[in-house]
Amino acid sequence: MTFSSRIQELKLQIVEHERQLQDLRRELELADFEAKSDITKTSPAFDASDPTPTAATRWRWPLAADAYRRYGRQMIMPEIGLQGQLSLGFASVLIVGIGGLGCPAASYLAGAGVGRLGLMDGDTVELSNLHRQILHTTQRVGKLKVKSARDNLQALNPLVKYILHPEHLTPTTAVDIFASYDLILDCTDHPTSRYLISDAAVLAGKPLISASALRTDGQLLVLNHPPSPPLAQREVAGSEGGPCYRCVFPVPPPAESVLSCGEGGVLGPVVGVMGVLMALEAMKLLTFKSSEPATEQRREQSMLIFSATSSPPFRSVRLRGKRKACAACSDKATISAEALSLGNLDYAMFCGTQNSIQVLGEAERMSAKEFKHQQQVVQEVSSPVGLGMRSYVLLDVRDKTQYGLCYLDGSINIPWTSMQGMESLAQATIPDGQQCMDEGLPTNGEDLLSVLRKAADGGKDIYTICRFGNDSQLAVQKLKELGFSADGRSRVRDIKGGFRAWKQEVDTDWPEY
C-alpha cells in the first residue's frame, strides 16, 4: 500500500469515526434523560398541576404528564414517537427574521416542543406587517418583533426556552451565534442576508433551511445538509456534505431586479405556506433517525417551488448538488470564519445593493415641494385647468395596479415596465387599457403616448414620478434616449423621492401602502 492511499484510508476512517461519535453522544443524551425518569417535584419536567396520585410523589416517565397531553397527537405517529419528541426537546433552533416566514415557522416549532428557540430580528412591528406576520398584533405596533413574538409564543407553549436576539445579523457575530444552535432557519427577505446566513451556517457546521416568498410565489431549500466538514477534511471522498446557497445561486441577482415584499407585494397565505413548510422540514430534520439507512430520495437535493396561481401549485426542481469550486463549502473555499469575524466580507457590495439609485444630475430633478409650487402657479393662471392649459405633463410610471390605488389629478400612467424595451420612437407603444384617471384624457395606450409627444413638441415640460423615486429616474433616461427634449424646447425631469417624498413634504394624507 502506498503512502498516499494509506493517508486517504486514514482520513476516511477519521470521518466515519467522527460521525459515529456524534451518534453516540446523542444516544448518551437520550439515555441520560431516560435514566432520570424518577423525577421529583423540583424537576422542571414535573407537572405540578397533574391530579394523578403519582404526581404527588414520583413520576416515572421521561416526559411530564402535561407534555404527554400537549404533544400526544404527534407522538403517536411512528415518524415521531417518544424518541422523536425527546429529540425535539433536546434541539435548539435559531430563526433569523421574525416576519412573514419566521412567525408561522416559530409558531409550529414552539407548538411541537423544540427545547430552545432563538428569535433574531432588529426591527419593530409596523402596521403594514400585520396582514401576514401572524405573531404580531395591532397593540404591539412599535414593539420589537422578537419581544412581540416571544409574548405570543410563551402563551402558546411556556415549556420552550426562548432566546432573544434583538439585532440584525452581522458577519462579525454570525458564526459565534450559530455555533450554539443545532439548526438555522433563514426567514429573511434579501440576498445580502441569505448569502451571509449560508456562509455562517457552513462555517459553523449547521444545516440551514432557507425560504422566500414574493407576490404569489415561494421557494424552499434545505442547505448544508449534511453539514460540510471542516475545510481540511472536505477533499475526502464521501464527506462533501450538502450544497450551500452559493452552490445554488453562485451569482447574486442584479440589484435592480431585487424586490422586497414592500416593493413587489406578497399575499399573506403565500408567505404563511412557506413558513409552515420550513417548520415541517425542521421537524423532519430534527427527528431523523440516524440508524435508518439512507435512501436515494434523502440524498437527492431539490428545491421546492410554490405558485398560488399554478395547477398543481407545487413542483420540485432537482439541484445539481455542491459546486466543486464553491467559495464557501468546497475544498477550495476562500471564505473563512476569521474573514467573516473580522468583517472583511462586504455582502452589500457583493450583491450590488443600494437603497436608492442616483443616475440623474440635479438639473434633471426637482423636489416634491418644487413640483407642488409648479402646480399652484398653473392653477393661478387658469381655472379650471385642463391638460391643454398646463405647462407640463405629469407621467406616473408605477404599474397599473398601484396607479389605481391613488394618483395625482391629471397624471398620465405609462408604467416603467412598458417603457423599458423601447428602442426608438417608432417602437414607443404601450398596451391598450393603461389608466388615466383625469376625465377627458385618452385611455388608449397609443393615444396616451401621442399626448406625451405633442406635449414635448409644444415645449411643455415632462415630469416623472413613481413610488420611491427610482423608476422615475430611469424613465427620464429612457425618454431622453427616445428623443424627448432633444431640441431643448422642453425639459424632462423626475420628482425626487417619489410619492414617499410627496407624503412627507406636501400631502400628509397621501395613502401609504
Side-chain angles (χ1 to χ4, degrees):
M1 179 181 294
T2 63
F3 283 113
S4 59
S5 59
R6 177 58 178 163
I7 291 172
Q8 185 76 357
E9 180 184 349
L10 289 172
K11 286 182 178 180
L12 287 169
Q13 291 179 9
I14 290 172
V15 171
E16 182 59 31
H17 281 83
E18 286 179 345
R19 287 176 177 171
Q20 293 177 4
L21 186 59
Q22 289 179 354
D23 291 341
L24 288 172
R25 283 174 178 154
R26 176 54 62 90
E27 291 179 16
L28 176 62
E29 289 177 347
L30 295 175
D32 183 60
F33 192 89
E34 292 171 350
K36 296 176 181 177
S37 57
D38 285 342
I39 300 174
T40 63
K41 284 187 178 182
T42 57
S43 171
F46 179 79
D47 183 10
S49 64
D50 187 85
T52 60
T54 55
T57 54
R58 304 167 71 85
W59 183 253
R60 60 192 181 91
W61 305 107
L63 293 175
D66 180 65
Y68 277 94
R69 289 192 295 268
R70 182 182 290 272
Y71 309 125
R73 296 299 184 272
Q74 65 189 34
M75 288 172 61
I76 61 176
M77 297 174 54
E79 292 85 356
I80 301 295
L82 177 60
Q83 290 296 103
Q85 192 62 51
L86 290 172
S87 295
L88 288 172
F90 280 120
S92 57
V93 178
L94 175 64
I95 300 177
V96 185
I98 313 300
L101 294 168
C103 284
S107 296
Y108 279 99
L109 289 176
V114 168
R116 292 194 307 127
L117 198 56
L119 308 173
M120 172 173 276
D121 201 312
D123 290 337
T124 57
V125 179
E126 298 179 2
L127 196 61
S128 61
N129 301 149
L130 301 184
H131 85 285
R132 66 193 185 281
Q133 300 182 14
I134 58 174
L135 286 179
H136 311 309
T137 65
T138 304
Q139 291 73 25
R140 293 175 186 161
V141 170
K143 189 173 185 177
L144 279 169
K145 286 187 177 181
V146 291
K147 292 185 177 180
S148 171
R150 186 267 317 273
D151 293 346
N152 201 321
L153 294 171
Q154 278 186 329
L156 172 66
N157 190 352
L159 304 181
V160 175
K161 182 178 181 181
Y162 302 100
I163 303 169
L164 304 189
H165 301 274
E167 63 209 22
H168 294 296
L169 189 69
T170 63
T172 56
T173 61
V175 176
D176 290 338
I177 292 175
F178 285 13
S180 59
Y181 292 92
D182 299 320
L183 174 64
I184 313 299
L185 267 61
D186 179 2
C187 299
T188 61
D189 64 353
H190 201 277
T192 53
S193 55
R194 294 189 187 120
Y195 282 103
L196 167 59
I197 291 170
S198 176
D199 292 347
V202 170
L203 293 171
K206 308 297 179 180
L208 169 66
I209 299 174
S210 177
S212 62
L214 186 67
R215 294 173 174 158
T216 60
D217 303 317
Q219 64 183 34
L220 181 142
L221 290 159
V222 177
L223 301 167
N224 198 40
H225 178 61
S228 295
L231 180 59
Q233 299 177 9
R234 290 179 193 170
E235 60 184 17
V236 179
S239 66
E240 290 186 350
C244 70
Y245 193 81
R246 289 180 184 269
C247 294
V248 183
F249 303 104
V251 178
E256 62 272 14
S257 69
V258 177
L259 295 176
S260 67
C261 292
E263 296 167 327
V266 67
L267 286 181
V270 171
V271 72
V273 165
M274 302 314 298
V276 169
L277 288 173
M278 294 182 80
L280 175 60
E281 289 299 323
M283 291 183 64
K284 288 163 57 179
L285 191 150
L286 293 171
T287 60
F288 172 70
K289 298 177 179 60
S290 60
S291 58
E292 293 182 358
T295 65
E296 289 299 323
Q297 186 175 5
R298 281 199 188 94
R299 286 199 296 266
E300 183 179 288
Q301 301 289 342
S302 62
M303 176 168 62
L304 181 67
I305 297 177
F306 171 74
S307 176
T309 58
S310 298
S311 182
F314 290 99
R315 62 190 179 97
S316 183
V317 178
R318 185 173 180 179
L319 302 179
R320 294 181 177 178
K322 177 175 277 189
R323 293 177 62 244
K324 293 183 178 180
C326 178
C329 66
S330 71
D331 57 357
K332 300 178 178 61
T334 57
I335 297 174
S336 66
E338 182 181 9
L340 211 62
S341 62
L342 293 176
N344 293 338
L345 299 177
D346 190 334
Y347 287 89
M349 181 178 294
F350 173 69
C351 294
T353 305
Q354 46 192 0
N355 294 326
S356 60
I357 65 172
Q358 298 290 336
V359 298
L360 300 179
E362 282 301 313
E364 299 172 292
R365 314 194 71 189
M366 70 186 315
S367 68
K369 283 185 177 180
E370 289 172 331
F371 180 72
K372 178 62 178 178
H373 177 71
Q374 177 77 2
Q375 283 184 314
Q376 291 172 339
V377 170
V378 171
Q379 289 172 358
E380 290 174 1
V381 172
S382 60
S383 182
V385 180
L387 181 65
M389 300 295 295
R390 288 195 176 98
S391 60
Y392 67 87
V393 173
L394 177 60
L395 179 61
D396 189 327
V397 298
R398 294 175 298 163
D399 63 50
K400 179 180 178 180
T401 303
Q402 292 189 48
Y403 188 79
L405 297 177
C406 47
Y407 56 89
L408 291 178
D409 292 339
S411 59
I412 295 177
N413 178 220
I414 303 181
W416 163 239
T417 52
S418 298
M419 301 172 61
Q420 290 184 62
M422 300 179 186
E423 297 180 0
S424 67
L425 284 174
Q427 294 180 318
T429 59
I430 60 174
D432 289 349
Q434 296 296 353
Q435 294 175 319
C436 186
M437 295 298 184
D438 191 27
E439 292 185 6
L441 290 179
T443 57
N444 178 272
E446 190 70 47
D447 291 339
L448 276 177
L449 202 56
S450 67
V451 169
L452 206 58
R453 289 194 186 102
K454 290 177 182 178
D457 292 341
K460 293 183 179 182
D461 292 337
I462 299 174
Y463 301 117
T464 64
I465 190 168
C466 63
R467 188 177 176 190
F468 297 121
N470 291 334
D471 288 348
S472 58
Q473 293 186 66
L474 300 176
V476 169
Q477 282 190 324
K478 174 58 69 173
L479 289 172
K480 289 189 172 183
E481 289 176 7
L482 295 176
F484 286 91
S485 78
D487 55 9
R489 288 186 294 173
S490 65
R491 295 179 298 174
V492 182
R493 306 171 74 185
D494 99 294
I495 299 174
K496 291 188 287 188
F499 284 111
R500 179 167 55 187
W502 183 262
K503 179 178 178 64
Q504 294 171 348
E505 301 174 14
V506 178
D507 183 5
T508 56
D509 291 333
W510 183 263
E512 183 178 5
Y513 58 91

